[in-house]
C-alpha cells in the first residue's frame, strides 16, 4: 500500500516535470519545432517515461491548454464581482485589475504563449478571455464606471490586446514591472490619448 | 528577343501565382503545416515549376515577408507627415488614420498573418510597425494633439494591438467594415473608457 502510493507520487512528479518542460520548450521554440526528445531531455527523463504518461506530443499540448483554461476560469471567477464605486475610486481599482491580469500572465507565461500561439484552440481561447473582459466591462458600465457610447466588444479587445502585447514586450523579459506597466496602460485606457475634448463633450465629474 | 520576353512574362506570372498561393496557404493552415505540394496545387502548377523559382519553402516565406515589409514601408512613409491641426480637427484625422491602417491590413491580410504569426522575423516586424506608430505619436504629441504624461511606447502598442486584434476578429471576416471599426476603435482610444475624470484633471479645451 505504502509502496503503491510512493510509486504514484513519483509518477505525479514525473508527469508534472514533463508538462513544465513541454510548456517551456513549446513557448521557446514553438510547438511544431519541438520534438518529444527535446521535452524528455529538458525534463531529465527518458522517451519511455514520456509515453508512460502521454500518448503523443498532441496529448501533452492539449493537457497544457486544459490547465491554462482551468487557471483562467479560477482567475475569471475572482474578477467577476463588480461593485459600484465612487468615481474617484474607479481609476485605482482599474489600475489594480490590470496589474492583477499582468501578474497572472507573468506567472503563467509559458502556458499563455502555448495557449494563444501554439494551440489549435487559440482563437476560441482568445474569444473566451475577451468574453470574460467584455462581461466585466458590461458590469462596470451598468455601475456607471464606463462611459456611454462605447462598443464594449471593442473595449474588451482593446484591453486584452494592449495588456497581452505589452506583457510580451516588456513584462516577460523584466524590462518593466507589472506595477509600472499597469499604471502606464491604465493611463492610456482610462482617459485616452487626445489632449483636448470637443467642447460639447465635457465630462460631468 | 520577343520569344525571350514572352517567356519572362509567363515566368513572372507563375512566380506571382506561387507567391499568392503560398500566402493564402500559410495564412490558412500555418507555415509548418503547409507543404510545397499544397502551394503548387493551389497555384495550378507543378512541383518542378515551384523549384524553378524558389529553392525551398523557407525561400518563398522570406520573399513574402520582404514583400510585406516593402508594402509597410510605402504605407509608413505616407503616414509620416504630421501637421499641426486645430483641436476640433484631430479626432476625425485620427479616425481616418485608423481606417487607413485597417484598409491596408485588409488588402494585405494574408501577408499580415504570415509576417506576424508565421515568420521567424515576426517579433522584429512587430517592433518595426509599433516603431512607426510611436514615431507618429511622438510627432502628434509635439503638435499638441496628444496629452502629456503618456508612455508613448505603450500608446503605440495599444494602438497597434487594438487595430490588429480587431481586424482579425471582425474585419477579415466581413463582420464590420473598416469605417465602422475605425470609428469604434477611435472612440475608445481618443477619450478612454472612464465615465468620469478626476476634478483636478479637467481638460483645457
Amino acid at each position: 500500500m505504502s509502496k503503491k502510493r510512493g510509486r504514484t507520487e513519483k509518477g505525479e512528479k514525473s508527469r508534472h516535470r514533463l508538462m513544465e518542460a513541454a510548456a517551456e520548450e513549446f513557448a521557446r521554440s514553438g510547438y511544431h519545432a519541438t520534438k518529444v526528445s527535446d521535452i524528455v531531455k529538458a525534463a531529465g527523463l527518458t522517451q519511455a517515461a514520456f509515453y508512460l504518461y502521454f500518448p503523443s506530443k498532441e496529448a501533452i499540448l492539449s493537457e497544457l491548454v486544459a490547465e491554462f483554461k482551468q487557471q483562467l476560469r479560477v482567475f475569471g471567477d475572482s474578477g467577476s464581482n463588480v461593485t459600484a464605486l465612487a468615481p474617484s475610486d474607479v481609476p485605482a481599482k482599474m489600475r489594480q485589475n490590470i496589474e492583477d491580469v499582468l501578474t497572472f500572465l507573468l506567472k503563467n507565461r509559458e502556458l499563455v504563449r502555448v495557449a494563444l500561439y501554439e494551440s489549435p484552440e487559440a482563437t476560441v481561447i482568445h474569444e473566451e478571455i475577451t468574453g470574460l473582459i467584455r462581461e466585466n466591462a458590461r458590469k462596470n458600465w451598468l455601475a456607471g464606471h464606463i462611459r456611454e457610447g462605447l462598443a464594449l466588444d471593442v473595449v474588451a479587445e482593446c484591453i486584452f490586446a494592449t495588456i497581452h502585447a505589452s506583457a510580451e514586450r516588456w513584462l516577460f523579459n523584466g524590462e518593466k514591472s507589472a506595477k509600472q506597466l499597469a499604471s502606464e496602460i491604465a493611463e492610456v485606457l482610462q482617459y485616452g490619448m487626445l489632449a483636448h475634448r470637443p467642447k460639447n463633450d465635457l465630462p460631468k465629474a
Side-chain angles (χ1 to χ4, degrees), chain A:
Chain A
M1 173 83 191
S2 105
K3 203 177 168 195
K4 194 181 171 202
R5 203 178 59 187
R7 203 162 56 204
T8 309
E9 268 169 21
K10 193 173 161 232
E12 264 313 302
K13 243 187 207 164
S14 299
R15 207 175 177 284
H16 186 74
R17 245 157 78 193
L18 285 164
M19 281 186 66
E20 276 195 341
E24 273 169 37
E25 294 298 310
F26 293 162
R28 189 175 51 209
S29 318
Y31 172 72
H32 286 283
T34 299
K35 297 188 193 77
V36 169
S37 59
D38 301 323
I39 299 170
V40 299
K41 197 178 159 196
L45 291 167
T46 63
Q47 200 106 351
F50 181 93
Y51 290 106
L52 207 58
Y53 303 107
F54 304 98
S56 63
K57 193 175 79 163
E58 286 75 24
I60 203 167
L61 173 67
S62 92
E63 286 233 20
L64 285 170
V65 170
E67 191 189 316
F68 176 74
K69 286 166 90 170
Q70 174 57 23
Q71 301 280 356
L72 186 65
R73 212 155 295 132
V74 172
F75 184 75
D77 284 346
S78 77
S80 67
N81 285 323
V82 172
T83 46
L85 296 171
S88 59
D89 292 336
V90 174
K93 174 72 179 159
M94 183 173 170
R95 203 202 53 68
Q96 186 60 53
N97 286 349
I98 294 173
E99 189 179 330
D100 292 346
V101 176
L102 286 167
T103 306
F104 171 80
L105 294 179
L106 181 60
K107 203 183 135 210
N108 297 284
R109 66 179 180 278
E110 276 91 11
L111 281 182
V112 170
R113 281 199 183 147
V114 171
L116 289 174
Y117 294 126
E118 305 299 329
S119 159
E121 293 178 71
T123 307
V124 175
I125 293 169
H126 180 98
E127 290 184 10
E128 217 168 285
I129 295 173
T130 51
L132 287 171
I133 297 174
R134 191 182 54 239
E135 181 50 21
N136 183 283
R138 197 185 62 83
K139 285 178 181 164
N140 273 288
W141 170 75
L142 285 171
H145 304 155
I146 288 188
R147 62 192 181 84
E148 299 289 333
L150 296 180
L152 292 184
D153 51 358
V154 171
V155 167
E157 283 293 334
C158 176
I159 293 174
F160 182 63
T162 304
I163 291 176
H164 183 218
S166 302
E168 284 283 350
R169 183 85 179 255
W170 299 292
L171 184 71
F172 296 167
N173 63 11
E175 270 191 49
K176 295 184 180 190
S177 69
K179 196 175 190 69
Q180 187 197 342
L181 201 47
S183 105
E184 292 178 357
I185 292 172
E187 187 62 36
V188 180
L189 298 186
Q190 289 176 339
Y191 308 117
M193 297 167 186
L194 294 195
H196 304 277
R197 286 192 170 200
K199 280 214 176 67
N200 60 0
D201 186 36
L202 279 179
K204 292 158 203 111

